[in-house]
């Protein structure tokens, strides 16, 4: 979601996963340490919906989800042979899609480099053994903290991963939850402390950002999205990206952005089938008093990691 301090990632959508692997490294395994799981079992999940949506459900609403990036001018380049559109934020990070940060070691070139094609150059990694340590910094409001924990419970239940409290004597890689006035996350296991910022306390927003942290990119930026969506503006949050698509395009994906009004009755994205703008699972749920979680395709895509 939005951020003045735009963080980027590359690519895995309910759609698309580009990974190195989820093989064991030198991290401590769950069997070797006494870890405390987040208290997501304390929350009620009976009102959650997991993907019973289709494109006809997603009639446009007037909800403004504030997804337009302010990270800087849009640039074009290549990672290996895949063309990308990106920005550079004030910290010098490469930003893709408005709320994802490019992994370490990824090189952007002006021209395609066919020999670099494949999963490894993208550097996206799943969390070792499916265990994700989390640290909450003191400035995170209690409502946002609870949303992150509840969102973690949704992913844990559907994907079989485990979120635990960060312990510096046990964990080298972990998510550091901050409140930085925006919602953003790094993609996959980045290495060391990686920030996830929470601003909107709505739980489906937290599910979206944890989706990035687990390894998912945006559904509306898949390499095949032009078969389903027409984009009318040059906006880095909706620009098409080179992705390896492991599932069919999914309107119910928690990683899909909604259309946004650009004035004069026009929208930045419309459905190719009928030229109508669309909302997404997050805003559809917010409007109808329910909460949507990851779709079946979101889970299927992440099975490549976990």
């Amino acid at each position: 979601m939005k951020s003045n301090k735009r963080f980027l990632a590359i690519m895995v959508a309910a759609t698309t996963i580009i990974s190195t692997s989820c093989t064991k490294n030198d991290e401590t395994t769950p069997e070797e340490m006494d870890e405390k799981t987040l208290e997501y079992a304390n929350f009620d999940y009976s009102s959650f919906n997991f993907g019973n949506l289709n494109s006809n459900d997603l009639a446009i609403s007037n909800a403004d989800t504030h997804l337009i990036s302010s990270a800087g001018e849009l640039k074009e380049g290549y990672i290996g042979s895949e063309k990308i559109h990106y920005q550079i934020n004030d910290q010098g990070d490469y930003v893709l899609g408005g709320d994802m940060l490019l992994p370490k070691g990824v090189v952007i070139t002006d021209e395609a480099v066919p020999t670099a094609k494949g999963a490894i150059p993208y550097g996206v990694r799943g969390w070792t053994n499916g265990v994700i340590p989390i640290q909450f910094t003191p400035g995170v409001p209690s409502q946002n903290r609870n949303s992150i924990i509840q969102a973690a419970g949704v992913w844990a239940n559907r994907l079989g991963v485990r979120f635990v409290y960060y312990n510096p004597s046990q964990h080298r890689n972990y998510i550091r939850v901050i409140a930085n006035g925006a919602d953003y996350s790094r993609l996959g296991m980045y290495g060391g402390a990686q920030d996830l910022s929470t601003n909107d306390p709505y739980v489906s927003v937290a599910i979206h950002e944890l989706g990035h942290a687990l390894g998912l990119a945006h559904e509306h930026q898949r390499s095949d999205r032009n078969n389903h969506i027409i984009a009318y503006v040059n906006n880095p949050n909706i620009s098409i990206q080179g992705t390896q698509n492991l599932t069919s395009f999914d309107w119910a994906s928690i990683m899909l952005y909604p259309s946004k009004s650009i004035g004069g009755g026009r929208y930045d994205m419309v459905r190719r089938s009928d030229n109508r703008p669309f909302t997404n699972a997050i805003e559809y749920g917010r409007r109808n008093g329910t909460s949507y979680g990851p779709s079946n395709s979101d889970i299927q895509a992440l099975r490549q990691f976990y």
Side-chain angles (χ1 to χ4, degrees):
M1 317 305 277
K2 169 194 169 187
S3 163
N4 289 329
K5 187 180 178 182
R6 279 314 168 168
F7 277 20
L8 151 32
I10 265 213
M11 246 102 275
V12 186
T15 84
T16 128
I17 292 189
I18 300 177
S19 69
T20 53
S21 73
C22 191
T23 54
K24 292 188 178 182
N25 56 22
D26 57 356
E27 293 221 1
T28 309
T29 65
E31 293 77 18
E32 294 170 335
M33 57 184 165
D34 181 18
E35 296 171 311
K36 182 181 178 183
T37 302
L38 270 63
E39 303 91 343
Y40 37 73
N42 296 341
F43 291 89
D44 179 13
Y45 297 92
S46 60
S47 64
F48 276 83
N49 194 309
F50 300 107
N52 295 324
L53 283 174
N54 58 52
S55 61
N56 292 326
D57 293 320
L58 300 176
I60 189 66
S61 73
N62 293 323
D64 180 0
T65 50
H66 307 294
L67 297 175
I68 298 301
S69 171
S70 59
E73 66 175 301
L74 182 64
K75 300 178 182 294
E76 182 177 286
Y78 291 85
I79 298 178
S81 62
E82 302 292 346
K83 181 183 287 188
I84 66 165
H85 297 89
Y86 66 99
Q87 296 167 289
I88 301 176
N89 67 13
D90 293 340
Q91 290 70 44
D93 297 316
Y94 294 126
V95 177
L96 183 72
D99 65 345
M100 299 177 289
L101 174 66
L102 199 66
K104 294 176 182 176
V106 174
V107 177
I108 297 178
T109 57
D110 293 332
E111 298 181 355
V113 183
T115 56
K117 185 176 181 179
I120 293 177
Y122 290 90
V124 177
R125 294 183 292 167
W127 290 83
T128 306
N129 300 312
V131 176
I132 304 97
I134 289 185
Q135 178 191 58
F136 291 95
T137 58
V140 176
S142 59
Q143 186 178 4
N144 295 66
R145 178 189 176 102
N146 287 339
S147 291
I148 294 292
I149 294 175
Q150 188 174 24
V154 170
W155 284 112
N157 179 264
R158 298 216 63 208
L159 189 59
V161 294
R162 183 170 173 238
F163 292 85
V164 301
Y165 283 102
Y166 166 68
N167 185 327
S169 67
Q170 298 172 331
H171 306 123
R172 182 179 58 177
N173 302 323
Y174 64 100
I175 294 171
R176 180 172 54 204
V177 180
I178 62 175
N180 198 34
D183 298 286
Y184 58 80
S185 174
R186 295 182 184 267
L187 181 72
M189 188 177 72
Y190 188 82
Q194 61 184 73
D195 288 344
L196 184 155
S197 178
T198 173
N199 182 55
D200 186 340
Y202 183 46
V203 65
S204 291
V205 174
I207 292 171
H208 176 101
E209 297 307 334
L210 283 179
H212 285 320
L214 287 166
L216 288 174
H218 292 136
E219 191 76 6
H220 56 281
Q221 293 186 290
R222 300 165 50 115
S223 62
D224 64 349
R225 75 93 188 271
N226 284 346
N227 295 330
H228 310 276
I229 291 173
I230 301 173
Y232 287 113
V233 297
N234 186 24
N235 185 313
N237 291 351
I238 63 173
S239 61
I240 198 168
Q241 304 292 345
T243 60
Q244 183 182 13
N245 303 314
L246 303 178
T247 66
S248 299
F249 184 90
D250 184 13
W251 291 101
S253 172
I254 199 67
M255 309 311 292
L256 179 73
Y257 278 5
S259 303
K260 182 177 177 64
S261 174
I262 55 177
R266 297 177 302 140
Y267 290 82
D268 58 353
M269 296 186 291
V270 297
R271 302 186 300 190
R272 179 168 289 280
S273 61
D274 57 8
N275 290 318
R276 293 182 61 192
F278 53 90
T279 188
N280 65 350
I282 294 175
E283 297 307 325
Y284 183 87
R286 197 195 305 256
R287 185 182 66 196
N288 291 287
T290 188
S291 297
Y292 280 84
S295 69
N296 291 335
S297 291
D298 293 331
I299 298 301
Q300 182 181 343
L302 283 175
R303 290 291 180 207
Q304 304 298 312
F305 285 145
Y306 308 104

